[in-house]
Amino acid sequence: MVKRVAVIGAGVSGLSSIKCCLDEDLEPTCFERSNEIGGLWKFTETSKDGMTRVYRSLVTNVCKEMSCYSDFPFQEDYPNFMNQGKFWDYLQEFAEHFDLLKYIQFKTTVCSITKPPDFSETGQWVVVTETEGRQERAVFDAVMVCTGHFLNPRLPLESFPGIHKFKGQILHSQEYKIPEGFQGKRVLVIGLGNTGGDIAVELGRMAAQVLLSTRTGTWVIGRSSDGGYPCNMMIIRRCHNFIAQVLPSCVLRWIQERQLNKRLNHENYGLNIIKGKKTKLIVNDELPTCILCGAVTMKTSVKAFTETSALFEDGTVEENIDVVIFATGYTFSFPFLEEPLRSLCTKKMSLYKLVFPSSLEKATLAMIGLISLKGSILASTELQARWATRVFKGLCKIPPPQKLMADITKKEQLIKRRENKDSEKLSNLPHFTQQVREQGSERKHT
């Protein structure tokens, strides 16, 4: 019978998990390596501790009406979209209201989570932690991993020839906190996600020039929609979801493109999605204006670096670059898990409903918050944690590991089949083009 549950991390997902454990009469113990709750939402001036934190100017992308915990709404005087400080205050209020802090061991690092020899019978886990140089070992009936997917910065330097010759400053967006220190500098931001867009806009007010490089392009929407209502409230609706399920993807894409280009023609701004690239979308109210004003200059993907300049795919060269900021995201990392479980958990496909590793004999380890979505991370992690704790108690069942692994194999084969079809189409394209040209020339002669 599951009773004691280890919760790894006291961020948004960790707080959800502690609360849901208590709701199911379980006994949670949360391990948090910093001295505060909130995870990445707790702003600090530096990132010397190696933890990913928000930058000072960050504002939430999801409005308060659609992003609170189900049983703890935001206060009326909170703005629709909050800065990072206000959002952290909400998390603190939530933790205090439900008395969650007493279940958290701060300044405690999880060193390892391993299966004991009798795991197939008990489903228990051995958790080794370290607090101020002192290690402790404890056995738990279940584990909820709530470390998210912002642990390991992705810095793909090997993809940029000449980057090691570059004499300027190289940063990952994880290290960016405040715009001070970039005055009068020429800055190149690589990567156009929400973070890359925010950093480019903020530095555009202070740096001599900001160059924003993208290899895919993106759709840009604002926080407000028709009538001034928060965009999330207008977009995330059941009727829209129903339409998306009924209409063919090509028709749906055509409608979306028309609507998004109505506000601003993305091609004119250098933001259009490049053919063959996956469609993505960011929330940024100021980027189009910054491009119009020349504070931010859009560039194609970087082809190579020299000591002081960057060569782009369109053949242009930008000289005298002082700083390169890689807003290239993160890779999943769970250093405290043992192999092969560690590698398995980094593949979302190997997680049943994005929560439970498929290969385990006992469903007593859950990954909470390892998701990317349009809506609220708070509501989503709460639903995941609620389901996971009910699985721990035996109130909900999941299929046996043999069936789950077989389903994964089928999915992998299906993906390979699609990839092979796509590559065949691409390889046949030159031959098809030649046939069309020959037919065209025949018509001309006749």
Side-chain angles (χ1 to χ4, degrees), residues 12-13 15-17 20 62-72 74 87 90-91 94 236 368-369 371 373-387:
V12 168
S13 305
L15 294 176
S16 298
S17 298
C20 290
V62 182
C63 61
K64 70 174 183 180
E65 292 83 358
M66 301 187 71
S67 60
C68 62
Y69 289 117
S70 65
D71 48 6
F72 194 72
F74 286 100
F87 189 82
Y90 169 78
L91 297 178
F94 174 78
I236 304 174
I368 308 297
I371 46 177
L373 69 170
K374 294 178 182 177
S376 166
I377 188 69
L378 278 75
S380 304
T381 57
E382 182 183 349
L383 288 171
Q384 285 187 320
R386 197 184 298 170
W387 177 52

Side-chain angles (χ1 to χ4, degrees), residues 241-248:
N241 188 47
F242 174 74
I243 291 168
Q245 291 176 353
V246 172
L247 288 179

Side-chain angles (χ1 to χ4, degrees), residues 65-92:
E65 292 83 358
M66 301 187 71
S67 60
C68 62
Y69 289 117
S70 65
D71 48 6
F72 194 72
F74 286 100
Q75 295 180 28
E76 285 294 325
D77 61 346
Y78 272 43
N80 293 93
F81 295 96
M82 286 154 276
N83 60 33
Q84 46 80 22
K86 205 75 173 171
F87 189 82
W88 186 84
D89 288 342
Y90 169 78
L91 297 178
Q92 183 72 22

Side-chain angles (χ1 to χ4, degrees), residues 122-149:
T122 65
Q124 293 180 324
W125 297 88
V126 178
V127 179
V128 177
T129 59
E130 184 175 318
T131 308
E132 296 178 349
R134 187 184 75 257
Q135 283 199 352
E136 289 186 7
R137 179 182 180 276
V139 177
F140 289 90
D141 300 313
V143 174
M144 303 177 82
V145 178
C146 306
T147 53
H149 46 88

Side-chain angles (χ1 to χ4, degrees), residues 2-3 5-7 11-30 69-71 94-95 98-100 103 144 146 366 368 377-393 395:
V2 171
K3 196 66 179 173
V5 180
V7 179
V12 168
S13 305
L15 294 176
S16 298
S17 298
I18 298 170
K19 170 72 166 47
C20 290
C21 282
L22 296 173
D23 290 343
E24 295 294 341
D25 295 322
L26 301 175
E27 299 172 3
T29 301
C30 179
Y69 289 117
S70 65
D71 48 6
F94 174 78
F98 291 104
D99 200 18
L100 306 182
Y103 300 97
M144 303 177 82
C146 306
I368 308 297
I377 188 69
L378 278 75
S380 304
T381 57
E382 182 183 349
L383 288 171
Q384 285 187 320
R386 197 184 298 170
W387 177 52
T389 51
R390 291 179 68 81
V391 170
F392 293 160
K393 285 197 71 174
L395 300 174

Side-chain angles (χ1 to χ4, degrees), residues 232-249:
N232 311 112
M233 295 177 67
M234 307 304 292
I235 291 177
I236 304 174
R237 294 189 170 194
R238 289 177 185 172
C239 61
H240 292 165
N241 188 47
F242 174 74
I243 291 168
Q245 291 176 353
V246 172
L247 288 179
S249 58

Side-chain angles (χ1 to χ4, degrees), residues 343-388:
S343 299
L344 187 75
C345 288
T346 60
K347 301 174 184 175
K348 287 188 178 182
M349 191 186 295
S350 300
L351 299 175
Y352 178 63
K353 305 292 186 184
L354 300 179
V355 175
F356 289 100
S358 305
S359 62
L360 294 177
E361 306 98 305
K362 299 283 186 179
T364 55
L365 184 139
M367 314 297 290
I368 308 297
L370 201 63
I371 46 177
S372 301
L373 69 170
K374 294 178 182 177
S376 166
I377 188 69
L378 278 75
S380 304
T381 57
E382 182 183 349
L383 288 171
Q384 285 187 320
R386 197 184 298 170
W387 177 52

